[in-house]
Amino acid sequence: MPKSRIRKKSDYTPPATAATAVKLKSGRGFVAPLMLGLFLVGLVWIVVYYVTNAQWPVGAIGNWNILIGFAFIAGGFGVSTQWK
């Protein structure tokens, strides 16, 4: 049986671009430190509340201290959506 000819595939050449892309700084250098700061403040708030038997950080509001700690953590997650 005769062999069929092998067709040579042409090499891929990307299309020419009119202008080169310019990378701009995002200007969001504050996002990562703020996010980590909010996470840590929320964690410390909750840990201090439990370790001091509800006397600190604000003893008068009782179990609402847990909600405040979680609000700081949720704020950290909210800020993390802006990280690029």
Side-chain angles (χ1 to χ4, degrees), residues 2-39:
K3 276 182 138 181
S4 62
R5 281 193 298 167
I6 298 173
R7 288 183 251 164
K8 184 177 187 302
K9 294 182 180 178
S10 61
D11 293 332
Y12 173 75
T13 54
T17 58
T20 59
V22 177
K23 283 198 166 193
L24 299 175
K25 286 185 96 178
S26 66
R28 296 184 182 189
F30 68 93
V31 173
L34 179 62
M35 174 185 67
L36 293 175
L38 287 172
F39 286 155

Side-chain angles (χ1 to χ4, degrees), residues 38-51:
L38 287 172
F39 286 155
L40 287 175
V41 168
L43 179 66
V44 168
W45 192 287
I46 293 171
V47 168
V48 167
Y49 173 73
Y50 276 119
V51 169

